[in-house]
Amino acid sequence: MGETPGTLDELARRAGKWLSLSAAAPERYTTAVVADRFDRITWRDTYEQSAALRELSEELNERHDRTRHHTTDLLTDVFLAAYKVNPRLRERPEMDPSRLVNHQVVTSLVESPEFAELRRETAGDPYAAAMAVLAQATALRRMLEATRGAQDKAEQAKQSQRNAERAATAVTEALQQAAEKTAEPDETAEPDRADEDGAVPPPAATDAVQQTIEAAEVSEAAAQRAAQAAAQALAAAAPGIRVAARNAVSKAAEGARAEAALMRAWGVGPGELERMPFGQRARLAERLRTSRLAEWAELIGRFRQMADGERARKVENATGELVGVTLGNDLSRVIPSELANLGLPALRAVFAARYAAGELMLYDSQGEQTTGRGAIIACVDTSHSMYEAGPGGITREAWAKACALALLDQARHAGRDFVGILFSAADKLKVFRFPADRPADVAHVLDFAETFLGGGTSYQRPLSAAGALLEEEFNDAARMRGDIVMLTDDDCGVTEEWMRGWNEAKHRLGFRVFGVAIGAPRVAETDSVLDALCDNLRAIEDLTDVHAAADLFRVI
């Protein structure tokens, strides 16, 4: 029997696309960056630990109260884009319409040329990724303000989509209700309106289905218009978003590089940073940025890099340049004619006797002096004159502290204790100890670098303290051959009695004294007190030149 327009089959055919929309609506995402459970946990943990992130989120939510959730999702996306090693963005059709502006912003960030440079500093590092978000805060505010119109259109598209989905659901429900009523025989129905099974849909039921289909078509048309309007608004805003995003990423990358360089300059390695709690790391970064010597971080970094290179060149007990022949028992330097005696049985006893007496002929060489094994002690003058700046605006204090920090590295690499002694007048002295068997606490290092005593200059007080420390080390651990480095810009007298005691201690403990006259060549002259005290003395006039002290790191 043929079907008429009033049958349920015909109505179902007309409502087919609405049935499919109702049954299988695609999942829409509110975040643009694909993230797993662990990424989301990392974001939540970082958000909870960072007061600055929470304040930024609250501020953006207040400014954009109609769309407050999309601002939180935007911060999540910006964080994950910086944090993930290989961030992947969702396709636009997968996104919730209200988040298309976010998708455009994050896409512009990720596609900017500077983004790869930023991720070199932030990938896998929650703290650095959070700092990148905060560095881009100003640009994010501007982008959100500039895209208010596009965001409003996106919200309208979202609402129209919801209306269309509800209309599709209404079509399904109307068909179900019509089917239920059709199952009950209608004795008043005309014969030619019956379906193949003889059931007749009541006119009211078919009218209801017809009306819901028409309403769904209207909703669909409205949703399409809203989506088109949102797409046009977003396309108009896209060029501005791309420019702002590129500037934001560039600023964030610059900030990330600067902080990483600052950490490296102060000897804070990536491993130590990874183990450091978020709050402690934030406080450390703030302290480094605001430190009295923060502006000399580049100088400190160059000093440490130079010292590291000199360590690589240093070979202890090297033969060095051959300058002649001497006598001794060092088998590594025996001349070939002596070794030939070992080949003759009759002369082997002679070789053994000469070896025991230290009378073998050896190559004599001029090489690097053997390094010490006791503590390295840096005595840093912090009298008022050390404030004076030299070439490049670098102060004498900054040069001395940078050199001392490089000596701290030298001690750590050699497994030696390090002591920093800050001195000025006879009544002003401060000692900072860094034992070799314990990590050098960054806060303690900063305390050493930042402390400035002021006043005049006294040699006896700091050198006596250094000698006492080496005496203590000898008594406790039987270690000798310590090294004292005197960094000063002033000359002052010492008593004869003190000088006798100093020379006795130096002979007994076997330590060496290196002098560095900073910005004051007269202090290093041959008749100066510093010259009488030191085994090795040099004057530094160009404070931009870190290589002027390079030989210190080969012999200490």
Side-chain angles (χ1 to χ4, degrees):
M1 183 176 180
E3 296 175 352
T4 64
T7 64
L8 284 180
D9 289 340
E10 177 64 22
L11 291 173
R13 265 198 305 274
R14 290 183 61 195
K17 68 176 181 180
W18 308 109
L19 294 173
S20 63
L21 283 175
S22 176
E27 183 178 4
R28 303 289 183 174
Y29 296 94
T30 58
T31 53
V33 179
V34 178
D36 59 27
R37 181 167 61 92
F38 299 104
D39 295 330
R40 290 189 290 272
I41 290 173
T42 299
W43 160 247
R44 286 197 297 270
D45 288 347
T46 305
Y47 183 83
E48 289 300 321
Q49 294 177 71
S50 173
L53 275 181
R54 296 195 301 275
E55 290 170 3
L56 176 60
S57 178
E58 291 169 4
E59 175 201 335
L60 295 179
N61 286 339
E62 289 175 2
R63 287 190 180 190
H64 305 273
D65 56 346
R66 290 181 58 233
T67 54
R68 59 187 302 125
H69 294 297
H70 89 272
T71 58
T72 301
D73 289 336
L74 178 59
L75 293 184
T76 304
D77 279 332
V78 176
F79 172 85
L80 292 175
Y83 171 72
K84 288 178 67 66
V85 176
N86 293 302
R88 182 171 68 85
L89 302 187
R90 303 186 194 281
E91 298 297 328
R92 285 187 63 172
E94 298 180 85
M95 296 297 298
D96 185 295
S98 65
R99 302 302 194 274
L100 288 177
V101 171
N102 287 6
H103 187 275
Q104 180 63 59
V105 169
V106 179
T107 300
S108 298
L109 292 173
V110 172
E111 291 180 350
S112 64
E114 295 82 4
F115 188 72
E117 185 178 353
L118 172 64
R119 284 199 305 106
R120 278 196 289 271
E121 303 293 347
T122 61
D125 187 338
Y127 171 85
M131 294 304 104
V133 174
L134 296 173
Q136 297 173 84
T138 300
L140 291 175
R141 293 186 189 99
R142 290 174 180 168
M143 282 188 278
L144 289 173
E145 289 295 332
T147 57
R148 274 185 181 273
Q151 186 61 48
D152 288 341
K153 297 292 185 184
E155 292 292 336
Q156 292 169 13
K158 168 67 174 178
Q159 187 59 46
S160 296
Q161 183 188 66
R162 286 177 177 171
N163 292 339
E165 291 170 355
R166 283 196 290 266
T169 302
V171 171
T172 302
E173 292 173 351
L175 282 171
Q176 289 173 346
Q177 291 172 5
E180 291 171 359
K181 292 181 179 180
T182 301
E184 302 173 1
D186 187 350
E187 297 178 355
T188 65
E190 299 178 6
D192 60 350
R193 300 287 292 175
D195 62 14
E196 294 179 354
D197 297 326
V200 180
T206 57
D207 289 345
V209 174
Q210 181 72 24
Q211 290 171 6
T212 55
I213 291 174
E214 291 173 356
E217 290 171 346
V218 172
S219 295
E220 179 192 31
Q224 290 175 348
R225 288 193 300 272
Q228 185 177 9
Q232 291 172 347
L234 188 56
I241 292 176
R242 283 192 288 270
V243 172
R246 183 168 184 176
N247 292 336
V249 172
S250 178
K251 180 179 179 181
E254 182 181 353
R257 284 195 307 270
E259 183 161 312
L262 193 61
M263 293 293 180
R264 287 193 297 270
W266 287 96
V268 186
E272 186 176 358
L273 289 175
E274 288 177 7
R275 295 188 298 271
M276 197 175 293
F278 187 97
Q280 182 182 348
R281 184 169 170 182
R283 289 190 296 274
L284 172 62
E286 178 65 19
R287 184 177 181 186
L288 290 180
R289 284 192 295 269
T290 58
S291 165
R292 269 199 325 110
L293 297 180
E295 59 182 307
W296 309 125
E298 189 269 340
L299 172 69
I300 295 169
R302 285 195 293 119
F303 240 111
R304 283 180 146 149
Q305 186 177 14
M306 176 274 294
D308 190 58
E310 294 303 318
R311 276 193 296 274
R313 293 177 53 192
K314 180 174 64 176
V315 180
E316 296 183 23
N317 300 318
T319 55
E321 178 186 0
L322 298 179
V323 294
V325 176
T326 186
L327 299 179
N329 58 4
D330 186 349
L331 297 179
S332 67
R333 294 189 289 139
V334 175
I335 65 175
S337 60
E338 287 279 23
L339 290 175
N341 292 336
L342 289 175
L344 300 174
L347 296 178
R348 288 175 184 169
V350 176
F351 182 92
R354 296 182 63 182
Y355 171 74
E359 295 178 350
L360 293 173
M361 287 189 292
L362 313 175
Y363 283 120
D364 194 10
S365 63
Q366 181 176 338
E368 304 292 359
Q369 186 177 354
T370 305
T371 58
R373 282 292 175 267
I376 296 176
I377 301 177
C379 297
V380 181
D381 187 349
T382 59
S383 60
H384 284 310
S385 58
M386 292 291 283
Y387 270 135
E388 187 173 332
I394 298 173
T395 65
R396 296 173 179 180
E397 178 204 7
W399 196 96
K401 296 282 181 65
C403 183
L405 291 173
L407 288 169
L408 169 59
D409 287 349
Q410 188 87 346
R412 308 307 290 182
H413 280 275
R416 302 168 66 182
D417 290 351
F418 176 81
V419 181
I421 298 178
L422 304 180
F423 70 94
S424 58
D427 60 341
K428 294 184 177 181
L429 188 84
K430 194 156 187 178
V431 178
F432 296 83
R433 304 185 70 161
F434 299 89
D437 59 355
R438 292 199 296 273
D441 181 68
V442 179
H444 197 44
V445 174
L446 286 175
D447 288 340
F448 167 62
E450 290 181 317
T451 300
F452 192 89
L453 302 177
T457 305
S458 168
Y459 283 176
Q460 289 187 192
R461 180 84 187 279
L463 290 176
S464 294
L469 288 167
L470 294 176
E471 182 88 43
E472 177 186 331
E473 183 180 41
F474 175 74
N475 293 334
D476 292 344
R479 281 199 298 269
M480 298 176 62
R481 292 167 49 203
D483 291 309
I484 299 173
V485 181
M486 190 77 167
L487 299 145
T488 183
D489 69 341
D490 201 1
D491 197 19
C492 66
V494 296
T495 65
E496 290 185 10
E497 181 181 0
W498 181 90
M499 193 68 177
R500 283 194 297 271
W502 173 254
N503 288 331
E504 290 173 2
K506 186 177 176 184
H507 177 73
R508 183 175 69 258
L509 301 174
F511 60 79
R512 299 174 296 178
V513 182
F514 299 83
V516 184
I518 305 171
R522 60 177 177 76
V523 176
E525 292 176 357
T526 54
D527 60 345
S528 68
V529 174
L530 193 61
D531 178 61
L533 289 169
C534 297
D535 303 295
N536 180 304
L537 178 62
R538 84 284 319 283
I540 306 297
E541 296 185 62
D542 182 0
L543 301 188
T544 64
D545 182 14
V546 300
H547 293 279
D551 63 309
L552 278 178
F553 299 92
R554 290 197 299 271
V555 298
I556 289 181

